[in-house]
């Protein structure tokens, strides 16, 4: 789904600059980041690690990645193809009128991408963190130079996020202006409280850079370690528009862009303080737009809601399950009400702290569905989703995939991370650790 606040380019630095005020920023964020109305469209962003087709544990050289992306840019796709800093591939679907349309579009695009990559003996790996390699940056651009400098101040998690992680991001309309099951206030709350259930059920990153980390979703741990200012949510009890507007103003500025040369990377300067000081230059609307793209909460309002907490999934079609389950639990009124009632008791485990920096999110990332309460909630939510999917027009391909995931993982208190750990320990005789592509 398209962004409501533009992903500004380096060329924005040459546009005429008119300084913005705090009041203007708050009004802009309130008006743009939550577009309310009937939930009608959805989308998905799928990220993948690119690996050697026959020896996936070998690193892919920058030269081979360059050649692969050059070839991929000649492939007709309906989804937007972008490159992440470490060379990960991302496909972002256009807004779809139905779950079936979204799955059909992305599946066709992925088939085309895989066919092109096979020509270069490369493939796509669905896993939350690179299990073999330490982070290595592929893109060297001012944005990512500045991002690396900024995130390095809080430790190595930033580089791991940039260069060695992958996810499935589900994009859903914000919902009705009015209160109720499909109202934007309820959907905002549900996204943050159902989020840990999604983290736990789809955890798929227990290994990073060659060793087990002790966490089922190391990717989620990485996001928590980046810090609340950059990767945290605003307080959940507050009204969503006002809370997000204040969060944007009080979040640290990642960089101040320049027309030439390295960008400035201030230390601890919030956007509110930048407005008040006007140093090193007054911020503009383009700077605000850019600032919003440098914030990475687990649920990001971009006109629609972007749910960012799900690890990349194994198999060619593994991404379909989190997309289908999440869509059903938000867009089908009966399933949404069941999900709300199911996860409401879990809110007590947050200690009133914003996501993901609270005990509930931490337990989801560490234990997956080994946590009994999260397992119980996941079983109920998957059952509700399965009942709802036919009402949303989903066919047997989708319902069969969700049923298989429910039986293989959720009912057994497992997640895809357990399979990876079994292979590492040698307790899964079906596959070798070196081959974790499925």
């Amino acid at each position: 789904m398209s962004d409501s606040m533009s992903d500004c380019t380096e060329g924005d630095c040459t546009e005429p600059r008119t300084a913005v005020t705090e009041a203007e920023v708050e009004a802009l964020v309130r008006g743009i980041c939550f577009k309310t109305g009937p939930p009608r469209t959805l989308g998905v962003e799928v990220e993948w690690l690119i690996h050697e087709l026959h020896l996936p544990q070998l690193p892919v050289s920058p030269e081979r990645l360059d050649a692969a992306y050059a070839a991929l840019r000649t492939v007709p796709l309906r989804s937007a193809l972008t490159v992440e800093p470490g060379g990960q591939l991302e496909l972002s679907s256009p807004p779809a009128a139905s779950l079936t349309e979204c799955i059909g579009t992305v599946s066709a695009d992925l088939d085309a991408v895989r066919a092109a990559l096979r020509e270069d003996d490369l493939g796509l790996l669905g896993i939350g963190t690179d299990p073999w390699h330490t982070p290595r940056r592929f893109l060297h651009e001012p944005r990512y130079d500045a991002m690396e400098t900024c995130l390095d101040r809080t430790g190595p998690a930033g580089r791991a996020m940039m260069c060695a992680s992958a996810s499935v991001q589900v994009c859903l309309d914000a919902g009705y202006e009015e209160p109720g099951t499909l109202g934007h206030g309820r959907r905002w709350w549900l996204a943050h409280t159902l989020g840990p259930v999604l983290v736990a059920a789809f955890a798929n990153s227990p290994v990073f850079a060659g060793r087990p980390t002790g966490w089922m979703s190391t990717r989620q741990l990485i996001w928590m370690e980046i810090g609340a200012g950059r990767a945290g949510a605003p307080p959940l009890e507050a009204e969503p528009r006002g809370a997000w507007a204040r969060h944007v103003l009080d979040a640290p500025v990642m960089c101040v862009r320049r027309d030439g040369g390295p960008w400035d990377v201030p230390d601890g300067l919030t956007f509110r303080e930048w407005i008040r000081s006007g140093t090193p230059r007054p911020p503009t609307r383009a700077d605000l737009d850019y600032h919003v793209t440098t914030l990475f909460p687990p649920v990001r309002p971009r006109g629609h809601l972007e749910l960012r907490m799900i690890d990349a999934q194994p198999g060619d079609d593994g991404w379909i399950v989190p997309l289908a389950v999440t869509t059903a639990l938000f867009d089908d009124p009966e399933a949404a009400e069941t999900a709300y009632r199911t996860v409401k008791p879990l809110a007590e485990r947050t200690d009133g702290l914003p996501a993901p920096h609270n005990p509930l999110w931490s337990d989801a990332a560490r234990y997956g569905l080994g946590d009994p309460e999260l397992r119980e909630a996941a079983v109920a939510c998957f059952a509700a989703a399965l009942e709802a999917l036919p009402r949303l027009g989903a066919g047997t391909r989708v319902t069969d995939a969700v049923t298989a995931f429910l039986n293989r993982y959720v009912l057994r208190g497992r997640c895809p991370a357990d399979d990876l750990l079994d292979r590492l320990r040698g307790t899964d005789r079906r596959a070798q650790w070196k081959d974790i592509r499925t």
Side-chain angles (χ1 to χ4, degrees):
M1 300 172 73
S2 60
D3 296 348
S4 296
M5 302 193 79
S6 60
D7 281 341
C8 307
T9 64
E10 295 165 29
D12 290 325
C13 301
T14 63
E15 294 177 357
R17 296 189 176 107
T18 302
V20 290
T21 66
E22 289 180 53
E24 287 170 340
V25 167
E26 186 158 351
L28 284 166
V29 172
R30 282 174 170 268
I32 291 173
C33 287
F34 288 88
K35 296 289 188 183
T36 54
R40 289 177 176 154
T41 61
L42 66 145
V44 68
E45 301 172 21
V46 286
E47 296 174 343
W48 306 84
L49 304 179
I50 294 184
H51 67 89
E52 293 280 358
L53 198 57
H54 304 294
L55 291 170
Q57 68 272 29
L58 295 181
V60 181
S61 70
E63 294 76 18
R64 293 195 67 204
L65 281 175
D66 269 327
Y69 278 114
L72 286 173
R73 292 186 183 99
T74 69
V75 177
L77 302 171
R78 288 195 59 200
S79 303
L81 186 150
T82 51
V83 187
E84 295 297 302
Q88 309 98 305
L89 181 147
E90 179 179 90
L91 283 182
S92 301
S93 73
S98 70
L99 178 62
T100 300
E101 178 187 329
C102 183
I103 291 172
T105 296
V106 178
S107 294
D109 287 343
L110 281 169
D111 287 344
V113 166
R114 288 193 178 96
L117 288 175
R118 278 196 298 270
E119 295 290 325
D120 293 319
D121 286 328
L122 296 173
L124 298 178
L125 177 64
I127 191 169
T129 51
D130 191 321
W132 299 294
H133 312 121
T134 55
R136 178 189 62 176
R137 191 146 62 95
F138 169 67
L139 295 181
H140 294 274
E141 302 170 359
R143 172 183 172 89
Y144 298 121
D145 292 345
M147 183 181 292
E148 185 174 275
T149 299
C150 175
L151 296 178
D152 277 352
R153 290 173 178 153
T154 57
R159 293 195 185 203
M161 176 274 289
M162 291 172 62
C163 302
S165 69
S167 67
V168 176
Q169 298 175 16
V170 179
C171 300
L172 301 164
D173 284 332
Y176 287 99
E177 183 66 28
E178 299 79 11
T181 300
L182 300 184
H184 78 281
R186 171 74 74 86
R187 286 162 76 87
W188 179 250
W189 183 93
L190 182 61
H192 289 85
T193 313
L194 178 65
V197 179
L198 300 176
V199 169
F202 298 110
N204 188 37
S205 51
V207 180
F208 179 59
R211 64 176 184 85
T213 63
W215 294 70
M216 292 301 202
S217 179
T218 304
R219 177 182 165 275
Q220 186 58 50
L221 169 65
I222 287 167
W223 282 112
M224 290 188 290
E225 290 180 338
I226 287 173
R230 184 70 52 204
L236 191 54
E237 67 274 7
E239 185 274 323
R241 285 193 179 94
W244 180 245
R246 290 189 293 274
H247 185 74
V248 168
L249 278 164
D250 293 327
V253 173
M254 178 172 285
C255 57
V256 178
R257 297 168 296 156
R258 293 178 175 272
D259 293 329
W263 294 355
D264 292 334
V265 185
D267 190 359
L269 176 72
T270 68
F271 202 87
R272 192 187 301 275
E273 292 166 344
W274 188 12
I275 292 171
R276 293 178 178 179
S277 69
T279 302
R281 59 169 175 78
T284 67
R285 166 65 189 274
D287 291 316
L288 170 63
D289 289 351
Y290 196 88
H291 173 62
V292 171
T293 72
T294 69
L295 304 180
F296 310 113
V299 182
R300 185 161 62 176
R302 309 181 78 173
H304 56 274
L305 301 182
E306 181 185 77
L307 278 67
R308 303 171 50 85
M309 71 287 295
I310 301 169
D311 283 355
Q313 294 297 288
D316 289 352
D317 296 330
W319 58 276
I320 292 175
V321 177
L323 171 62
V325 169
T326 307
T327 300
L329 295 177
F330 277 82
D331 285 0
D332 179 83
E334 185 177 333
E337 183 63 26
T338 298
Y340 172 75
R341 294 180 182 276
T342 297
V343 302
K344 192 173 182 179
L346 294 176
E348 298 178 2
R349 291 175 57 179
T350 66
D351 290 346
L353 300 173
H357 300 91
N358 64 53
L360 177 62
W361 281 77
S362 178
D363 287 346
R366 183 186 293 274
Y367 303 115
L369 293 187
D371 182 294
E373 286 186 310
L374 289 169
R375 175 187 178 182
E376 182 180 356
V379 170
C381 287
F382 268 71
L386 272 171
E387 289 183 6
L389 284 169
R391 296 194 291 266
L392 296 177
T396 56
R397 174 192 179 191
V398 175
T399 56
D400 286 352
V402 174
T403 300
F405 192 98
L406 171 65
N407 291 332
R408 179 173 179 176
Y409 296 116
V410 180
L411 292 175
R412 300 169 63 197
R414 289 172 62 89
C415 55
D418 287 296
D419 287 352
L420 295 176
L421 290 173
D422 284 350
R423 297 182 186 195
L424 180 61
R425 296 166 182 147
T427 57
D428 184 351
R429 296 182 179 179
R430 295 172 299 175
Q432 297 296 314
W433 167 241
K434 66 180 182 180
D435 186 4
I436 61 171
R437 288 167 289 180
T438 60

